[in-house]
Amino acid sequence: MATNGNGDISQDSVEEKPKSRKPKDTKFKQQKLPAWQPILTANTVLPALFAIGIAFIPLGVALLVTSNNIKELVYDYTHCNSSTTSGTCAEFFQNTSQTGETCTCVVTLTLDEDFTGSVYMYYGLTNFYQNHRRYVRSRDDNQLHGDVISYSDLNDDCDPYKTVSDNGTTMGIAPCGAIANSLFNDTFALVYQGSPNEAVGLLNTGIAWVSDKNVKFGNPSDWQKSTYTKPPNWKIPVWNLSLTEESNNGYKNEDLIVWMRTSALPTFRKLYRRINHNGTTFSNGLPKGDYQVTISYHYPVTAFEGTKSIILTTTSWLGGKNPFLGIAYLVVGSLCIVLGVVFLVIHLKWGKRHQETELELFKAPQYEVDPLVQVVTLHDRAM
Amino acid sequence: MAEGQDKTDLSVRVPDNERSGTSVDRLDLAASATTAPPAISPSLNTATSVTAVNLGQVESARTRSGLIHADDNSLRPVATHVVPNVSHPVDAIPLIEEEMILPNPLVKYEYRPMEDGQGSEAPEPHHQSQQVIYINAPERNHSEINITCTSKYNFLTFLPKFLFEQFRKYANIFFLFISLIQQIPNVSPTGRYTTAFPLLLILMVSALKEIIEDFKRHRADDEINNRKAHVHRGDKWVTVKWVDVVAGDLVKICNGGFFPADLILLSSSEPQAMCYVETSNLDGETNLKLRQGHRVTKDLLRGEELASLRGMVECEAPNRHLYEFVGNIHLEGQSAVPLGPNQLLLRGAMLRNTGWVFGIVVYTGLHTKLMLNSTSTPLKRSNVEKLTNTQILLLFVLLVVLSLVCAVANSVWSGRHAHNDWYLFFDVEAESNFGLTLLTFIILYNNLIPISLQVTLEVVKFIQAIFINWDLDMYYAPTDTAAMARTSNLNEELGQIEYIFSDKTGTLTQNIMDFRKCSIAGICYGNNEESKDAFNDPTMMYNLHSQHVTADTIREFMVLLAVCHTVVPEIHHDTGEIVYLSSSPDEAALVQAARQLGFVFTTRTPETVEIEVFGKKEVYEILNVIEFSSDRKRMSVVVRCPDGKIKLYVKGADSVVYERLEETQLYSDITLQHLEEFASLGLRTLCIAKVDIPEDVYEEWKHTYYKASTSIHDREKKIEEAAELIERNLVLLGATAIEDKLQDGVPETILKLSMADIKLWVLTGDKQETAINIGYSCQLLTQNMELIILNERSLDETREALVKRKADFGDALGKVNDVGLIIDGEALRHALSCDCRKDFLDIALSCKSVICCRVSPLQKAEIVDLVKNAQKAITLAIGDGANDVGMIQAAHVGVGISGLEGLQAAHSSDYAIGQFRFLQKLLLVHGAWSYSRLSKLILYSFYKNICLYVIEFWFQIVNGFSGQILFERWSISLYNVIFTVAPPLAMGLFDRFCSAETMMKNPALYKDSQKGRLFNVKVFWVWIGNSIIHSILLFWMPMLMLTQDVAFSSGLVGDYLFLGNFVYTYVVVTVCLKAGLETNAWTWLTHLAIWGSIVSWFLFLVVYSNVYPLVRLSPEMVGMDRYMLGCWLFWLGLLLIPSACLLRDFSWKVFKGTYFKSTRQRVQEVELAKKESVINGSPRKKSSRLITERARLLSSTLFGRAGRVPSSSPPVPPSPEIPHGYAFSQEEFGAVPQAEYIRAYDTNKDKPEGL
């Protein structure tokens, strides 16, 4: 037979490997893994849309209410009148020769209602780009962690606040970098104008992230005071930040730690103090009335058209006052409801027609009958 | 070369009883040639230069012996042995000439004949185009190592080559550039190694993939290189690996074996050193070819004789022309004799029907003609990939624009703030450099171009390819072959195929001929159930034995089948089983059928044929054999029957036989009807007729015929005329129907593919009749289809015909008409010339089916190129032989049929499958799936990256365009490497919109991917737009949420990274859920990928927030886990923001899914709806086989005739009448004419053992 000659080769090639090349019949290999195949049509998603809408709207309302219950007082003191010099403190600092000196403002804040619960005191800055790339990088985390390093090993990003040269001697800056150098240094004292006047206790601890205070920031075993100096804008070196409280001194100073967490936006607020609710007058928060704030005004902001404010606020479980989330929930929830209604209307109005076509589809031979049969029938018709 | 035209005259052989005895050498020629020394080079040079000019034609030229031997053996006794004649060593000098299909006068050339006397001088191997091989002295030969090497790398070359390959990709260069500029201090917003690291990771994955793929190639190469060959070395036979075969080796190949290199045939087990080779691997022709060793070597039948053989073989330098070869063999002590293609056995061909052969290795390894013909597989890139690259470039432009905008904004901002913002340090440091700022932004936004896309794609495609390999539905058990994706970068291209170009033999057909039906004396046999697979009709036996009126005719018919042929029987020594050797599978099938019906052809001697009729021996003396040729379309023998009567037996095409019938015929009409019926089933039919010849008539004719066959001028014509004299007044006995067995499932597959709007063109090297026949049997052509047959012989005629046909189409041009186009290789050559090309294409595209026959490998590639370029359509070529390699490489996707001997096609293909029908699954399922998966994957990869990185842009607006990043640097680096890498992988691997079965049942679904509806410029930019919307929501919503900074009831405030991690988490969640939304089928792996990715980010967050100060990495992350996860705002945002983002996508999807349902969605729904019924009730039993059978009968037989009446529209010109189902394959003008070939045999004699 002419066509019967390949017996030899197949033997040849098979002799050494009797293993069959037949693929395994597993669901995975044959791509037949069982699968969930959700089909999204108006009918199936209608309940889901309504459910989401019905869940989101009350949630939104609740969030909005929560946010609205938060008491907040914001006082912009950028242009406060100086109590020590004439004019405003802002004007005082426009004279750059006076940078570093103190200007004091005394302002009165009026709480229209009681601030019940824990009250927090913030300072807020605007148009301050703490999120600028160079600014964000301008720090040395190892230094802040308390590692003993020589100033030449400081992070280069700290430049130009890495080292200072004074009369030929170079000294490292502790802490180095622009962030630390621009530490917010206004201070506030708060006195309740009641009968009698009572100073509000302000707690300067517990205002930073616990992890920062415990893990990220630490004091070195040796301050290397001979080779390190304070940042140019500072008045005192870092190891003297809090002489009274060793746990709040140096890099572990919470004001520093708070400042070192650079904000996301050019308008931001940072926690300044917690109100001390021990004692009788302020145990339930701040009662309504006038409060006198004595501001040690050091920090120039008008140069960059910024403002600074003092903020007193209570918090909720959501944090500060912010209606956005509540509104967003309401909007998304409503959208779901609207979409649901639209789909429902379309479904009721036009759904029937579609069902009909679907029924036809079931009858269509294309999906029911082997195509070969179909061809025969086509031929029949052609005849 | 003018001499060529006289060849017939010069090369006529004087009728002779000794085959190689006196022959007329072309003495004149030889004499003239002596004036032009050096002897060989001039003609060679001419040949090669012509070749260079006319490469196309020469490629397709076929060889043909220049000698036409007289069929004179009936007159003289044939010598039982052959006397070598040393004085005339030139016998059967082959002349190369293109066969009639390409009669280009320019390309006529011939071998320079070798003359006596001169041959004794050993020609110097001085010429460059020559090489000399010393026999039995391998150490003296310079041999190319006989190695097949398809692998890309080895140990040393891997690294440089791999890196070169990788950095040729724009994306990688880009990321390398980014990695480098990140090293510049103070420029990078994301640290120094955040691009280098992922890039390195990605390169490592790519390297791993390359290593695995190359390892496979190495293994495949080794498999071939380590095949065993029997080589005679040092006086004994040794078995060596193919790779160790060197030029000059004497090798022995046994029946069914492949030639390990190009060999010179020395001797064989058959008489006259003849052997059969199957070259379908090389040229796609189905019939076997005869090769004959040279007379001087034919008696080297034993190992000892070979051992003492000394001498040399000179041959031309290796070239790629399959049908050309010139050389000399110069044995020690003898004069040199010329060698031609008839002595050359090519690597890639297989020895058939021959016990064994001895050969000398001449060309090895890369010098073999097979290798020279195989070009390295071109790098193919898929359509989707190209489109993706364009979009990447656009995105790059976007990136640059965005960076420029930011850099400019940065300058503006800095200009405004520099002298005011004392806390920054502009006054101290120099004004920032614009160029560096630009680089900063380029680094910041670099991942708008997804770094991981390339590698994700590669990995996914690689695994998709493995899925193809794993597919059980594409496993062909008989040859133990699974499908093999040899390249993985074209998977999605499989989903976009519009044109398939298919080879015929071995692809559509099995190349097995089966006797299926016959019509004897007007009675049709073989319609019964038992004959469904093989002819088995008891009625016939009954009629034969029961004195039925037709009993005698049946007997005569069967005797004819057993006698009238050129088959040689071979009796197996041990079993006594008879094996029929034939160059024509059709004849073998007929003789085989006769044997099964009790008319056993047992013995052939030079003059007689012995058959056993039901065990009784009958001897028929063969008086004359008038050969088959495609002009005559018939073959006949004149026999003297045992009873002494002389009869002429004829078998041939119905058209030629009917013309020559005696006027009164009993069953001519009914037989014709049967013929039509057979033909409509796609069977190859032959008419069987006989005529009794009176002794005196024969005596007279014998002389006429003898004269004709020895005439010098126009011998062919004269023989034909002489044949006409006796082949007349025939008596019709009946007809036979042979099935050229199709591969399984071919008609069904063709139907399915056409339902998917894929057009199939058949390109075959076979004859027109055969091709048309197969066209019918595989339903490519139907009975009611008009046929346009183009076989014009000249350019002008072709042009004219094309213009006319085109005009005939009228308005129907360009639409798909129910017309089949059949074009011949010769006409095609003209049609493909520049000025006809357009017309031809117009016509071809207006036809439903196109069949090109007798096309050369090069033409196959040309046609593919034509359609590829003119139609901008994605093409696929499928074939099994080396002759298909050209088109396989030219087409967008090349598919090789693997499993049987044809490895060459499979090796150069992109996908190798065992059977044509697997194409269904490969295209309709794997192709469509891969396309839709990869489309999604690519779109999604862009989406997720843009979503994240555009957020950086929004952040720039609030940070003074300083280039600060919102996220922690390693988190972003890992975004593409860990947190969002799994969903696209799951999408690319496991997504499916309906099951494989449904895809197969609804080929219409293929159109989605074919038309590229899922991935195009519009879709792409819609996705990009969507991701920008998402990025807006994802940035501004958390920002507004945290605008008052106080996020805890304890009054603590966060920082930029606190917001950043909020946003990042929401991005990861949104992006993963978006993947889920786009996923149609959620397998457990999809669940794992989507939920796992989200979980992985949270895990990372927790771990990463606690590594400092243990590892000095990202102190800014310290405490993030504790404060973020303890923040109510975060969780409320997590619920709200991703849902807000996806609400639009979700409702749009619902809206579309409900009111603008696409076909696939409908099918999907129906499938899901049916799923339960399928599970509950038993699935419907399929009876497709029966249906098919019936469908064929119905569609073709019943109203087939009606369909033949030319329909009114479209107005298609009537096609020339073609014989019903006639097709016959036999080698024509071979090395040895069939009539002479059979005379050389005496099967009563033992064959040499060859040891």
Side-chain angles (χ1 to χ4, degrees), chain A residues 1-2 21 23 30-31 33 36 42 122 129 133 137 147 209-210 261-262 300 304 315 322 329 358 367, chain B residues 186 352 421 423 470 472 480 579-580 962 992 1002 1040-1041 1049 1051 1053 1055-1056 1082 1112 1123 1132 1154 1157:
Chain A
M1 267 291 285
R21 275 171 286 208
Q30 299 309 317
Q31 305 197 64
L33 286 178
W36 172 54
Y122 297 85
Y129 284 82
R133 182 162 73 94
R137 287 149 49 111
D147 299 353
W209 288 22
V210 177
R261 276 216 173 260
T262 56
F304 53 85
T315 58
N322 188 350
Y329 264 97
E358 267 168 46
Y367 307 114
Chain B
N186 275 326
R352 297 292 294 270
D421 293 13
Y423 56 93
W470 276 341
L472 204 56
D480 190 31
V579 177
Y580 294 124
S962 61
R992 54 175 192 257
N1002 298 282
L1040 290 170
M1041 204 166 84
S1049 57
V1053 294
D1055 64 348
Y1056 81 95
W1082 291 63
R1112 289 297 158 111
Y1123 283 95
L1132 285 168
T1154 317
K1157 239 174 248 177

Side-chain angles (χ1 to χ4, degrees), chain B residues 324-336:
Chain B
E324 286 171 36
F325 176 71
V326 278
N328 292 313
I329 184 164
H330 186 84
L331 296 180
E332 218 164 57
Q334 293 180 50
S335 52

